[in-house]
């Protein structure tokens, strides 16, 4: 047990070349916390705290006294216990280089390549690349992709980051046709543009970069070398307040300690135990660290196999296996190749550098990637204890946690023996996850077969699955039954049936996705069957029954061999084109040039200061929020007595402490009497430290009385007539009459899931009360400081002139920091005023995702009437969005959605209706695109439905119905579609669309299991707010007597480069270089009454204000300049000062006129439109649902870009974010409305591996428009919808698969297009098998709650593998019903809670918006009709049974509105909606039921069922 009275040993390590000595180290302190709080090295960012995002990446260097080598590895500082660093050297981004001293080439290149936007992720990116270069000064492109695989970026779309890294690569690959450094598109661009030389394809000049000189890097400290070679003390002990950390120096010491503390876990990498202790409340008083013991890192090779030490990291294991594979004959390396394949996609590089092999094995997580392979590969575990050594097989008994096959409490895992494979033995491994890299698998499997020599007769067979049970499941009985069978299709059919019977996956299975997982089980077996069949054919083995069985052997034909090809990760290629500036433009005029982001270099060096980087203020307190754990309940009592008695707790802030207004009647800042969603803020705790505040929230006692109804889904809201505002409607023409005069009518549904903002910098605020006049200084991460100021003013009942909000920069916003920061700011301000001390509030990632809402999920129904030619005559769309429990921005989102629904199409007869539903979820809010990405998906889905019915390509239907000439929109606003047509035509030409369409069709004819799809979508995006007052802006420009200029304006730097653009404007107007200018921050004390930086309008309106101020100043200087035309700028300014000419001016822009009359259904709501088009091509794997993005071409109408580098970056980043919305970003919930996907491990935004292999972006050659600043356009949001081109390309590929299988059409669309939806839509005999086998087993109707993660039992140890997640809820048994199809994930946000995670949940109410909330009433129920099936046409049969192949459908997400039936993009029909209870079932990603375990003793027994 911890004994604080005892003295700890001294911890010695180095940071950036400087020695650090700590005498009283708390074992619970991480390296990240120490760097930021103790050393004030804030370049290392806190973004998730669970090792999932890479923002905290640093390099750790350690010397190995055995090999005499120094090893440099990238690690996640948020997971590294400070105690584990004795004798290590840590390098942070500050130690790599600095703006004030010397920039490192990595820092210079990422900044000058425009690889930074908000800059919050940049230090982590820099450190990942820096570590790569320390190990490989000239890396390969594969190594670059691998190094960045664990780093997330929400802004850039990764392309410029990869471009910066590519400059270091040894042989950068260019186009295969033109060779390295060139591209076949280069000349083609010129040709397509008439051979003009005013088109540029370079955004930066590589020749300007300083070379990399490895000799200039920091050396490993000599003192640490001596310590490693001659350690002064063998065992180190560190005593904390609650935990004691012991680092034994020898193996004997470790075994003695393990005997003394049998329940103490071993911590090697802390990638499992660390997050479990942080998020799930796991606690261990004694921790043992074996990482420094050489015996546990030994690698031994012999003639029979390979023995790897248990403490070897997964990265080391990867290298060891690669070396063995290169040395041994292929027949001996089957198991090693399978392991290596999975190691390449397991977690990110940083986690692989930390996690240990032993920890991964002993943890026995259900999602383990290695255990299934090791199990079938007959691996042996070598166990050590004081009593001696023994061996146990890594078999099904060990994986099941049987006591007779497990470690004893005093034992540890010393090493793992992996035997060579044999001559007639074949081993393979497969996995399928939400995305191809750095994601936990839904299902994985290891398979091994051994044949009788020279035959196809099975002598031994092993199959082990992960993801289908509480731990790895072995199909032992099935394999035994198949011994002696020949390797043919009859065996395959029997094997599939037996596996599905033995590996039972009931409807209550952890993680849900039952039909998908069962389908993957047999699909993987089929892949293995084909692989082995091909190998046997290569060895010219005579196959049994070959003549009589050929019809049942699909693998024989070449078109079926595509099943064997895995998608490879490659470094993307591409070209960005834009128009050069006029040659006559002065060189010092920066407008139109690709200028680097003003803060780019500071981002790259970690010197850019964000809100939480501000040093701690004297007497500062930390705040943590206490939130509701009920969706709809009356608050009976709040008991804070226990909390107030805790050490360090200063106060509890409740609604009674608010001196002014507590929000409004419908949207309280702090709940009073009633809570409306899980996660609504009830009160807050302020304490001396953040740790004390967070722990205190767990002790708050709140008594509830549940209320009814509880509404989660859009369907339930419709049933209960629960809406937030009146219906919004637009109509033109005579819709009903038009429907009577068309050739065909199609009706369909569209379901679009919600989306998390996932800005890298979570919500945070620092409030500093001043000593007089009740003044407050507030530092907030917000898009709207004026709104924060106004909210705090009303909350505290003090005037706004005493509240100053400062915004230096924001680490990403995307709409999520428009209204929400005001809530946090107001609550923190109440705490600051009540205590009289500064208060800092920083949300953890989990809390932020729990409480802040996101994009509105949407359910839309459409009815479209058209002629056989494809001309659409009538369109009727009805939309519902899930607004959550309060109005927030839901009415505005609904209005904008309706206004933008027509997209690029001229349809004479239209009716658009929309409503925002009120549910018991946290309020959804503004998000990039503001309704357009959801609404336009309905419109484009109508187009594809019409195309399918007419038998025409979708692009033909789009062209036929697109605006062609000057016209008016449905709301009577006139516009010219000329730029739209130009974008469309150039995109068709640039992408070689028609040629590639033919190539796609040819590919699909030749390939059965892989299908390609291609799609091109147009876009007409309206920019701005629909109100003139929201377009006003102000600026203040000072000129100092030394000639320097200070610019201030009302826009906020979110990463979109607004400050850079403003200085470009000022530079042009004042005719002086940008180097003479500076922007400090955005402050309400400098520029008052600002408008939110949103709606893509920030640069437009603030640019006009800055222009106005500069023109005023220049006009004042005109007499001085005329009098001394040869003078310098400084001369003129000094003269002006002497002549008493004011050198300060306020600029003002009154705004664009914009209005909308909803009664008349007409107006001019938007200043202008941005047009664009995108073409994407994908390839899907019909057996797994995976896809790869082959190519994307984007053409965007930027008019006259202020800064092409920034604008191209905005387009790329928005596209990738939109691509995430439509493909991978899925929200998971419990039946009680608990959000499970609240970390980067569970919520998958696109990673670097998701970028299209060919990614081309072109800015349409410009034309002049007098409306905007220098004829530029705002491009911040428009690219979001273009990500749907990937969605429709996937749909195109799925449609090709379904046509080949002769499956029925369906017009129910579900987004995102996850692997589950894609796989189940490509129905075949394997999906049929899964349904047939499941139908007998799965009970209907019941909902099971989640099993929480088990606390570690005696002796459980740190798993040292990607951390365990919250145990998933059981899938609703009703998912088993065949008509219902796979569950629909991710349709809505739910209220958050810290359920089973050991802390209170977090949430906050929403600010008031226009409109009113309509009280709930009850109305009749609505349900979908019964579904219809579709045929199955897979080779080898599966019978004539009809299945509903789905591209969505069902029950898992909290919004499968109205119809929860099966849904297909081009397949399955909808089934009848189940009971409401069944409809809200949900699951998080697959997670273990068993407790985490590590290198040592017996783990907690895993329970099944």
């Amino acid at each position: 047990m911890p004994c604080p009275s005892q003295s700890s040993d001294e911890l010695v390590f180095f940071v950036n070349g400087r020695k650090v000595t700590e005498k009283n180290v708390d074992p619970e302190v991480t390296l990240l916390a120490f760097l930021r709080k103790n050393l004030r090295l804030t370049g290392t960012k806190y973004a998730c705290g669970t090792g999932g995002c890479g923002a905290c990446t640093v390099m750790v260097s350690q010397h190995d006294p055995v090999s005499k080598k120094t090893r440099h590895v990238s690690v996640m500082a948020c997971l590294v216990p400070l105690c584990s660093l004795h004798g290590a050297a840590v390098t942070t981004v500050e130690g790599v280089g600095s703006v004030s001293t010397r920039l490192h080439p990595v820092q210079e290149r990422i900044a000058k390549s425009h690889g930074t936007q908000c800059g919050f992720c940049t230090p982590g990116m820099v450190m990942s690349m820096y570590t790569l270069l320390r190990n490989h000064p000239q890396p390969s492109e594969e190594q670059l992709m691998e190094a960045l695989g664990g780093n997330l970026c929400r802004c850039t779309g990764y392309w410029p980051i990869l471009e910066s890294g590519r400059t270091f690569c040894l042989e950068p690959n260019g186009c295969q046709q033109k060779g390295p450094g060139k591209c076949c598109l280069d000349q083609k661009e010129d040709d397509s543009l008439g051979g003009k030389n005013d088109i540029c394809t370079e955004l930066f000049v590589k020749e300007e970069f300083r070379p990399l000189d490895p000799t200039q890097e920091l050396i490993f400290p000599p003192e640490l070398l001596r310590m490693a070679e001659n350690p002064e003390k063998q065992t180190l002990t560190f005593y904390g307040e609650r935990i004691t950390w012991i680092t034994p120096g020898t193996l004997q010491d470790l075994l003695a300690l393990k005997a003394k503390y049998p329940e103490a876990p071993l911590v090697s990498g802390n990638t499992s135990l660390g997050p479990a202790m942080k998020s799930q409340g796991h606690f261990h008083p004694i921790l043992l660290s074996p990482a420094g013991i050489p015996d546990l890192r030994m690698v031994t090779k012999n003639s029979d196999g390979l023995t790897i030490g248990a403490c070897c990291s997964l990265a080391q294991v990867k290298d060891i296996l690669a070396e063995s594979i290169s040395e041994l004959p292929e027949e001996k390396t089957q198991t090693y190749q399978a392991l290596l394949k999975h190691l390449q996609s397991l977690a990110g590089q940083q986690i692989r550098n930390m996690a240990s092999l032993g920890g991964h094995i002993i943890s026995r997580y259900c999602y383990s990637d290695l255990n299934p392979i090791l199990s079938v590969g007959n691996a042996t575990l070598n166990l050590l204890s004081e009593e001696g050594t023994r061996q146990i097989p890594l078999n099904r008994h060990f994986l099941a946690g049987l006591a007779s096959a497990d470690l004893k409490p005093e034992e540890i895992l010393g090493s793992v023996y992996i035997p060579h494979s044999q001559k007639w033995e074949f081993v393979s491994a497969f996995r399928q996850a939400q995305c191809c890299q750095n994601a936990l698998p839904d299902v994985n499997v290891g398979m091994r077969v051994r044949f009788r020599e020279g035959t196809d007769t099975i002598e031994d067979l092993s199959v082990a699955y992960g993801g289908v049970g509480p731990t790895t499941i072995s199909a032992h009985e099935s394999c035994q039954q198949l011994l002696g069978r020949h390797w043919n299709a009859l065996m395959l059919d029997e094997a599939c049936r037996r596996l599905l019977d033995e590996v039972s996956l009931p409807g209550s299975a952890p993680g849900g996705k039952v039909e998908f997982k069962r389908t993957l089980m047999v699909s993987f077996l089929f892949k293995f069957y084909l692989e082995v069949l091909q190998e046997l054919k290569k060895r010219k083995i005579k196959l049994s029954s070959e003549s009589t069985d050929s019809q049942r052997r699909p693998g024989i034909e070449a078109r079926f061999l595509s099943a064997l090809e895995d998608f490879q990760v490659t470094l993307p290629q591409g070209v960005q084109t834009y128009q050069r500036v006029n040659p006559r433009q002065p060189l010092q005029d920066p407008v139109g040039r690709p200028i680097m982001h003003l803060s780019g270099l500071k981002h790259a060096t970690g010197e850019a200061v964000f809100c939480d980087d501000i040093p701690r203020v004297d007497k500062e307190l930390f705040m943590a929020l206490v939130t509701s754990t009920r969706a709809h309940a009356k608050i009976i009592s709040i008991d804070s007595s226990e909390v107030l008695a805790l050490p360090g707790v200063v106060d509890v802030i409740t609604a009674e402490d608010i001196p002014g207004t507590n929000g409004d009647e419908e949207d309280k800042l702090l709940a009073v009497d009633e809570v409306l969603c899980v996660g609504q803020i009830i009160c807050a705790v302020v304490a001396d430290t953040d740790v004390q505040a967070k722990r205190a929230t767990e002790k708050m006692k709140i008594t509830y009385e549940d209320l009814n109804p509880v509404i989660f889904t859009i369907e339930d809201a419709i049933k209960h007539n629960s809406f937030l505002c009146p219906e919004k409607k637009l109509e033109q023409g005579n819709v009903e009459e038009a429907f009577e005069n068309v050739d065909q009518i199609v009706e369909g549904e569209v379901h679009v899931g919600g989306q998390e903002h996932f800005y890298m910098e979570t919500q945070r605020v620092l409030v500093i009360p001043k000593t007089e006049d009740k003044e407050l200084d507030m530092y907030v991460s917000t898009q709207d400081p004026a709104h924060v100021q106004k909210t705090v003013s009303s909350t505290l009942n003090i005037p706004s002139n005493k509240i100053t909000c400062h915004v230096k920069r924001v680490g990403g916003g995307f709409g999520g920091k428009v209204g929400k920061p005001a809530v946090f700011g107001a609550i923190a301000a109440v705490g600051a005023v009540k205590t009289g001390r500064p208060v800092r509030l920083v949300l953890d990632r989990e809390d932020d995702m729990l409480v802040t809402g996101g994009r509105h999920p949407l359910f839309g129904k459409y009815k479209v009437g058209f002629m056989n030619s494809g001309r659409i005559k009538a369109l009727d769309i009805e939309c519902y969005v899930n607004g959550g429990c309060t109005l927030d921005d839901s009415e505005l989102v609904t209005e904008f959605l309706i206004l933008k629904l027509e997209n690029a199409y001229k349809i004479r007869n239209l009716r658009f209706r929309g409503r925002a539903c009120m549910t018991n979820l946290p309020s959804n809010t503004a998000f990039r695109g503001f309704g357009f990405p959801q609404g336009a998906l309905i419109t484009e889905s109508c187009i594809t439905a019409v195309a399918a019915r007419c038998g025409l390509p979708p692009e033909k239907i789009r062209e036929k119905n697109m605006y062609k000439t000057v016209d008016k929109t449905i709301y009577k606003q006139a516009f010219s579609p000329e730029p739209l047509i130009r974008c469309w035509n150039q995109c068709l030409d640039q992408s070689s669309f028609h040629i590639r369409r033919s190539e796609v069709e040819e590919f699909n004819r030749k390939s059965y299991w892989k299908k390609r799809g291609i799609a091109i979508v147009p876009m007409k995006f309206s920019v701005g707010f629909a109100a003139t007052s929201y377009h006003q802006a102000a600026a203040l420009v000072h000129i100092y007597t030394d000639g320097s200029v200070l610019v201030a304006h009302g826009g906020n730097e979110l990463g979109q480069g607004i400050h850079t653009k403003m200085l470009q404007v000022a530079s042009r107007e004042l005719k002086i270089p940008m180097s003479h200018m500076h922007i400090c921050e955005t402050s309400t004390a400098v520029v008052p009454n600002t408008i939110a930086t949103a709606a893509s309008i920030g640069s437009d309106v603030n640019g006009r204000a800055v222009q106005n101020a500069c023109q005023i100043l220049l006009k004042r200087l005109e007499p001085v300049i005329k009098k001394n035309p040869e003078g310098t700028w400084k001369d003129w300014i000094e003269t002006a000062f002497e002549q008493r000419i004011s050198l300060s001016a306020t600029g003002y822009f009154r705004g664009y006129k914009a209005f909308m009359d909803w009664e008349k259904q007409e107006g001019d709501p938007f200043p202008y439109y941005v047009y664009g088009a995108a073409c994407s091509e994908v390839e899907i794997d019909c057996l797994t649902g995976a896809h790869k993005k082959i190519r994307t071409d984007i053409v965007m109408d930027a008019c006259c870009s202020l800064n092409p580098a920034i604008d191209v970056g905005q387009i790329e980043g928005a596209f990738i974010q939109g691509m995430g919305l439509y493909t991978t970003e899925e929200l998971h919930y419990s039946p009680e409305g608990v959000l499970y996907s609240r970390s980067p491990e569970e919520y998958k935004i696109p990673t670097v591996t998701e970028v299209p292999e060919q990614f081309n972006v072109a800015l349409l050659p410009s034309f002049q428009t007098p409306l905007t600043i220098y004829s530029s356009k705002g491009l911040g949001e428009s690219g979001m919808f273009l990500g749907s081109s990937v969605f429709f390309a996937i749909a195109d590929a799925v449609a090709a698969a379904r046509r080949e299988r002769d499956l029925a059409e369906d017009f129910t669309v579900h987004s995102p297009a996850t692997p589950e939806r894609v796989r189940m839509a490509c129905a075949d005999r394997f999906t049929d098998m899964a349904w047939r086998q499941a139908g007998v087993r799965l009970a209907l109707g019941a909902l099971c709650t989640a099993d929480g993660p088990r606390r570690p039992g005696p002796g459980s140890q740190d798993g040292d593998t990607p951390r365990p997640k919250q145990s998933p809820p059981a899938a609703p048994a009703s998912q088993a019903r065949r008509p219902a199809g796979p569950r629909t994930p991710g349709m809505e946000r739910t209220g958050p809670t810290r359920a089973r995670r050991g802390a209170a949940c977090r949430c906050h109410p929403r600010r008031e918006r226009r409109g009113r909330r309509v009280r709930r009433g009850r109305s009749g129920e609505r349900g979908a009709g019964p579904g219809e099936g579709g045929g199955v046409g897979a080779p080898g049969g599966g019978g004539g049974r009809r299945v509903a192949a789905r591209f969505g459908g069902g029950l898992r997400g909290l919004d499968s509105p109205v119809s929860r039936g099966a849904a297909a993009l081009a397949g399955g029909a909808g089934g009848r909606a189940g009971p409401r209870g069944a409809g809200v079932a949900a699951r998080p990603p697959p997670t273990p039921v068993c407790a985490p375990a590590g290198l040592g003793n017996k783990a907690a027994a895993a329970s099944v069922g």
Side-chain angles (χ1 to χ4, degrees), residues 722-749:
S722 178
F723 300 105
L724 290 164
C725 57
E727 181 182 74
K728 303 298 177 182
K729 181 179 179 180
L730 289 176
E731 187 169 0
Q732 74 175 12
N734 191 326
V735 177
E736 300 303 332
E737 181 181 327
F739 277 125
E740 295 175 0
N741 295 288
V742 296
D743 294 334
Q744 298 188 63
I745 294 176
V746 170
E747 297 184 51
E749 295 181 356

Side-chain angles (χ1 to χ4, degrees), residues 617-619 767-777 802 832-833 836-838:
V617 185
D618 185 38
K619 299 182 180 180
V767 183
I768 304 174
K770 294 189 176 180
T771 56
E772 54 182 287
D773 298 328
K774 298 183 179 180
E775 289 183 286
L776 289 178
D777 263 339
K802 294 185 178 180
V833 169
R837 296 167 63 177

Side-chain angles (χ1 to χ4, degrees), residues 258 262-265 284 358-359 361-365 392 398-403 405-411 471 1350-1359 1490-1503:
K258 190 59 181 164
E263 296 185 2
H284 305 279
I361 291 170
I362 299 296
S363 296
R364 287 172 280 202
Y365 293 135
I392 60 172
F398 167 79
L399 293 172
L402 298 181
D406 208 346
L407 285 73
K408 297 176 182 177
E410 69 276 7
E411 288 181 324
T471 184
R1350 295 166 54 89
R1351 286 186 178 272
S1356 65
Q1357 300 180 13
D1358 178 26
C1490 54
L1495 300 182
N1497 62 14
K1498 182 177 178 181
S1503 62

Side-chain angles (χ1 to χ4, degrees), residues 22 69 102 196 272 316 325 415 464 477 492 494 668 831 884 917 1058 1062-1063 1142 1249 1339 1372-1373 1449:
E22 288 291 312
K69 293 181 180 179
R102 181 186 69 91
K196 296 180 181 178
S272 175
Q316 290 173 314
I325 291 170
S415 61
E477 296 300 325
L492 174 65
E494 181 182 350
K668 301 291 186 184
C917 298
I1058 189 171
M1062 293 307 96
L1063 289 197
S1142 173
T1249 58

Side-chain angles (χ1 to χ4, degrees), residues 1075-1148:
S1075 58
H1076 286 47
M1077 301 177 176
H1078 178 63
I1079 291 181
C1080 180
E1081 65 176 7
T1082 302
S1083 170
T1084 56
V1086 178
V1087 180
N1089 309 318
T1090 58
I1091 302 301
T1093 304
S1096 303
I1097 210 78
S1099 295
D1100 283 18
V1101 297
N1102 287 286
R1104 292 290 289 269
V1106 170
Q1107 180 187 43
N1108 178 240
C1110 291
Q1111 289 174 348
I1112 291 171
L1113 287 169
L1114 204 59
K1115 188 171 183 63
R1116 293 175 186 169
L1117 293 173
E1118 276 183 7
V1120 175
I1121 297 173
K1122 285 181 180 179
K1123 191 172 182 180
N1124 182 18
E1126 302 300 323
T1128 64
W1129 170 257
K1130 187 175 181 181
D1131 294 336
W1132 296 335
I1133 298 306
E1134 288 178 348
T1135 302
F1137 177 76
E1138 292 169 0
Q1139 294 182 8
R1140 293 170 297 163
I1141 296 173
S1142 173
L1143 296 175
S1144 177
T1146 296
Y1148 185 68

Side-chain angles (χ1 to χ4, degrees), residues 625-696:
L625 305 177
V626 179
T627 57
S628 167
T629 57
R630 305 294 178 86
H632 189 196
K634 180 180 179 181
I635 299 175
I636 303 300
S637 65
I638 301 174
D639 182 2
S640 60
S641 56
E642 186 178 350
V643 171
L644 292 170
L646 293 174
V649 173
V650 175
D651 212 335
V652 174
I653 308 300
T654 66
E656 296 177 355
D657 298 312
I658 297 176
T661 304
N662 182 19
D664 60 73
E665 188 62 30
E666 304 293 344
D667 193 357
K668 301 291 186 184
L669 291 176
L670 295 174
V672 178
D673 300 332
E674 182 183 1
V675 290
L676 297 175
C677 68
V678 174
Q680 184 174 348
I681 304 175
I682 297 174
C683 56
V685 176
V686 284
D688 290 333
T689 70
D690 55 341
V691 174
Q692 290 170 335
K694 291 169 185 175
R695 285 179 184 165

